[in-house]
């Protein structure tokens, strides 16, 4: 089965940057949409960003638009999330997801275990 493993989370200050990476194993996800969700304590999991298999389409949550950039390397079976100008409200566990369809959704088939991002003010 497919495994997704996130890395790159950590503790940073507001205004700093982090780059998250998600590595897939078990099968190639080159024809899947991949993306990121996040979940803060006491909050529902929310959409962050998605990218299609061809890397021609991306979409971002309004809360991160202009600050975060999603990218993928199909040869390496990875998807990254470059997070700039981080804010305390970005604090959450970030989950990598993959699935068929134009975008990742809450119903996407594959999920990682998450990586913690904490942004202090």
């Amino acid at each position: 089965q497919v495994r997704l493993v996130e890395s790159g989370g950590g503790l940073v200050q507001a205004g700093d940057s982090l780059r998250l990476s998600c590595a897939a194993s078990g099968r190639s996800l080159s024809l899947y949409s991949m993306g990121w969700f996040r979940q803060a304590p006491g909050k529902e999991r929310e959409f962050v960003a998605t990218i299609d298999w061809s890397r021609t389409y991306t979409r971002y949550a309004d809360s991160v638009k202009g600050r975060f950039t999603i990218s993928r390397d199909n040869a390496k079976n990875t998807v990254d999330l470059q997070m700039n100008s981080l804010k305390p409200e970005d604090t959450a566990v970030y989950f990598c997801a993959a699935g068929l369809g134009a975008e990742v959704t809450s119903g996407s088939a594959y999920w990682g275990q998450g990586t913690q991002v904490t942004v202090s003010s």
Side-chain angles (χ1 to χ4, degrees):
Q1 66 177 14
V2 172
R3 289 186 65 231
L4 303 178
V5 180
E6 303 93 338
S7 62
L11 173 63
V12 298
Q13 294 183 323
D16 285 352
S17 297
L18 278 175
R19 189 175 185 89
L20 306 183
S21 184
C22 171
S25 62
R27 68 191 292 180
S28 173
L29 299 182
S30 61
L31 298 181
Y32 285 64
S33 292
M34 300 186 72
W36 297 87
F37 284 71
R38 67 187 183 185
Q39 187 167 26
K43 302 291 184 65
E44 293 185 349
R45 189 171 299 187
E46 66 176 349
F47 168 78
V48 176
T50 191
I51 185 168
D52 78 338
W53 69 271
S54 68
R55 302 182 295 174
T56 60
Y57 171 77
T58 59
R59 187 173 71 85
Y60 299 89
D62 288 342
S63 58
V64 307
K65 192 176 301 180
R67 299 187 297 120
F68 291 11
T69 302
I70 189 169
S71 61
R72 68 188 294 170
D73 187 332
N74 289 344
K76 296 194 297 185
N77 224 18
T78 60
V79 60
D80 289 0
L81 185 69
Q82 178 66 44
M83 305 185 295
N84 298 327
S85 301
L86 283 162
K87 305 175 180 179
E89 50 262 45
D90 295 318
T91 295
V93 177
Y94 283 70
F95 297 91
C96 177
L100 296 173
E103 301 183 351
V104 294
T105 71
S106 61
S108 292
Y110 305 115
W111 294 86
Q113 292 295 306
T115 186
Q116 177 71 46
V117 172
T118 303
V119 184
S120 63
S121 60

